[in-house]
Amino acid sequence: MASSRGRIDKRQAILDGAFTVFARQGYAQACVQEIANEAGVAKPTVYNHLNDKATLFRHAMQAAAQTALHQRLAALEPLADPDPDLRVTLEDVGHRLLRLHTDDRSCALRRLLYSEITQFPDFLDIVTESGPHRLNQALADRLARLTLAGHLRATDPDQAAEQFMALLTGPLEARTRMGTRQIGDAELHEITRAAVRTFLHAFGTADA
Amino acid sequence: MASSRGRIDKRQAILDGAFTVFARQGYAQACVQEIANEAGVAKPTVYNHLNDKATLFRHAMQAAAQTALHQRLAALEPLADPDPDLRVTLEDVGHRLLRLHTDDRSCALRRLLYSEITQFPDFLDIVTESGPHRLNQALADRLARLTLAGHLRATDPDQAAEQFMALLTGPLEARTRMGTRQIGDAELHEITRAAVRTFLHAFGTADA
DNA sequence: ACTAGATTGAACCAATGAGTTCAAAACAGT
DNA sequence: ACTGTTTTGAACTCATTGGTTCAATCTAGT
């Protein structure tokens, strides 16, 4: 078989370990030997599964972006069946998104994207296909439905989605010191409530 | 004298060239020889002014952050003497801020901060002293004055400033593909108008 | 013109790390 | 037990690069 089902699938362990080490050290500073150690595997095994350091990096990032996207899409779920009081649903979704956005792996992924996007132009695809774009699209869909149902007043759902995300994640950059400091759940709730408040000021209907 | 006023101050040329190369290659990939070339200077001269690569990097980043901060503070100036129609002043300021935020050097600075902040913990000071924090503070001051004057309704000026910046710069991350693509002035204006609209929905008074 | 300090180019040293080779060992399926 | 594939560890090659040394050259100020 092409994929070695022998052992407990080393490949996945390698990709996981790779992302961990890349997240900790950055691409250039991370050495393959350390990745092998982290994955509990010998160095030649790494090169046996992935051709070279660059493709190793690419695959690790791809995988991380995939799972991050799925998590964030799942966080939107409550919007499919919203509470009569839209505010509580928005705050719920907002809080989930913030929790994911401040997650360690998430922060590392964003840091690595920012730092290596010039050296790895293919990461642009990750951004559009598994990144903010997709999430914005899904959120815009939900907001459009809510507008049709008369619970919202978003003439341009894409823009509304964009601003909702901006109000949520914008304040994080400064407060988390660019993702280096974890911030408490209380502060997260505070940000969420503020974001939802101004969002509803701009796009809410009478039933707020 | 301590500072060599001989020649046309090589030191500045070195710092500028260093930032240029670091911006293009990243910290690890940038080699000192190339920095020397970019600055039109010999390699030992670089080590003559800065002890090693790390301090060279630190000083270059520090300088870049300084100028970026000054530019952005200057962009707030119209708020000191606002137009009777507050909307036009806010759109003016917003547009200036966006222009600065999407500037090449600015994007590079942000990218480098994100990528190396784990290896260079002292950059946290840059973020707080010359980064978003200072800008937020200055903006909050202006908004507080406007609230006192009855032109605005911002009970928590810090939060209002935070959200104003978020509405402006949040959409950029996705639209500029994490700072790799320049976006046209028209699109910038569109973002600004949308941001100011929702900001005034949330914090504006009757005279909008 | 003279001197002291800065600059230059080139060569050099040492460390690091990517990627390979290879023989020995471990494993999976039969 | 047998066989073919995979893994392992260790050693090895080779290119890059940070940082230094040094003698020759340049510049500024006197």
Side-chain angles (χ1 to χ4, degrees):
Chain A
M1 301 302 161
S3 63
S4 76
R5 285 287 176 270
R7 299 294 181 87
I8 327 108
D9 236 7
K10 308 266 182 191
R11 189 188 169 93
Q12 195 55 40
I14 292 175
L15 288 181
D16 283 1
F19 184 79
T20 306
V21 175
F22 283 135
R24 195 191 317 141
Q25 311 264 25
Y27 174 70
Q29 301 293 332
C31 76
V32 177
Q33 181 62 60
E34 188 176 351
I35 291 176
N37 293 344
E38 180 80 27
V41 142
K43 188 160 72 141
T45 308
V46 175
Y47 285 101
N48 194 18
H49 285 269
L50 288 312
N51 284 334
D52 55 13
K53 193 183 178 185
T55 61
L56 171 59
F57 187 45
R58 267 186 267 266
H59 281 98
M61 293 288 281
Q62 195 86 40
Q66 279 289 340
T67 69
L69 174 64
H70 287 156
Q71 289 174 332
R72 280 183 287 185
L73 285 182
L76 294 186
E77 199 136 327
L79 281 177
D81 171 31
D83 191 279
D85 184 0
L86 187 54
R87 180 180 303 263
V88 325
T89 319
L90 285 178
E91 287 185 357
D92 181 23
V93 170
H95 182 67
R96 289 177 194 228
L97 286 174
L98 280 194
R99 280 267 297 275
L100 291 175
H101 200 83
T102 57
D103 175 61
D104 269 346
R105 311 271 291 188
S106 231
C107 288
L109 177 64
R110 197 166 33 255
R111 256 198 348 257
L112 286 171
L113 275 180
Y114 262 115
S115 54
E116 308 299 342
I117 199 164
T118 54
Q119 316 292 325
F120 292 84
D122 17 340
F123 285 176
L124 284 178
D125 298 344
I126 291 186
V127 177
T128 55
E129 286 174 27
S130 311
H133 263 94
R134 274 285 245 275
L135 185 64
N136 243 307
Q137 225 169 316
L139 180 55
D141 288 350
R142 296 301 180 196
L143 297 185
R145 298 291 269 266
L146 290 173
T147 300
L148 280 190
H151 300 130
L152 218 54
R153 213 177 62 226
T155 44
D156 185 342
D158 288 294
Q159 199 177 75
E162 203 177 29
Q163 293 196 338
F164 185 65
M165 290 305 302
L167 285 170
L168 279 174
T169 64
L172 288 184
E173 187 171 35
R175 298 215 197 192
T176 69
R177 308 287 164 86
M178 307 196 99
T180 56
R181 174 187 290 191
Q182 280 296 5
I183 85 181
D185 224 47
E187 201 171 345
L188 243 48
H189 267 109
E190 182 194 328
I191 298 178
T192 307
R193 273 193 313 126
V196 170
R197 174 156 21 99
T198 66
F199 180 78
L200 284 181
H201 267 278
F203 301 101
T205 59
D207 56 9
Chain B
M1 302 302 162
S3 63
S4 75
R5 285 287 176 269
R7 298 292 182 87
I8 327 108
D9 236 8
K10 308 266 181 191
R11 190 187 169 93
Q12 195 55 41
I14 292 175
L15 288 180
D16 283 1
F19 185 79
T20 306
V21 175
F22 283 135
R24 195 192 317 142
Q25 311 263 27
Y27 174 70
Q29 300 293 330
C31 75
V32 178
Q33 181 61 60
E34 188 176 351
I35 291 176
N37 293 343
E38 179 80 26
V41 143
K43 189 160 69 141
T45 308
V46 174
Y47 285 100
N48 194 18
H49 285 269
L50 287 312
N51 285 334
D52 54 12
K53 193 183 177 186
T55 61
L56 170 58
F57 187 45
R58 267 186 267 266
H59 281 97
M61 293 287 282
Q62 195 85 40
Q66 279 290 339
T67 70
L69 174 64
H70 287 155
Q71 288 174 332
R72 280 182 286 185
L73 285 182
L76 293 186
E77 199 136 328
L79 281 177
D81 172 29
D83 192 280
D85 184 0
L86 186 55
R87 179 180 304 263
V88 325
T89 320
L90 284 177
E91 287 185 357
D92 181 22
V93 169
H95 182 66
R96 289 177 193 227
L97 285 174
L98 280 194
R99 280 266 297 276
L100 291 175
H101 201 84
T102 58
D103 176 60
D104 269 345
R105 310 272 290 189
S106 231
C107 288
L109 177 64
R110 197 165 33 254
R111 255 197 351 256
L112 286 171
L113 274 181
Y114 262 115
S115 54
E116 308 299 342
I117 199 165
T118 53
Q119 316 293 324
F120 292 83
D122 16 339
F123 285 176
L124 283 177
D125 298 344
I126 291 185
V127 177
T128 54
E129 286 174 27
S130 311
H133 262 94
R134 274 285 245 275
L135 185 64
N136 243 307
Q137 226 169 316
L139 179 56
D141 287 351
R142 296 301 180 196
L143 297 185
R145 298 292 269 265
L146 289 173
T147 299
L148 280 191
H151 301 130
L152 219 54
R153 214 178 61 225
T155 42
D156 185 342
D158 288 294
Q159 199 178 74
E162 205 177 28
Q163 292 197 340
F164 185 65
M165 289 306 300
L167 286 169
L168 280 174
T169 63
L172 288 184
E173 186 171 35
R175 298 215 197 193
T176 67
R177 308 288 163 84
M178 307 196 99
T180 57
R181 175 188 288 191
Q182 280 296 4
I183 84 181
D185 225 47
E187 202 171 344
L188 242 49
H189 267 110
E190 182 193 328
I191 297 177
T192 308
R193 272 193 314 128
V196 170
R197 174 154 23 98
T198 63
F199 180 79
L200 284 181
H201 266 279
F203 302 100
T205 59
D207 56 10

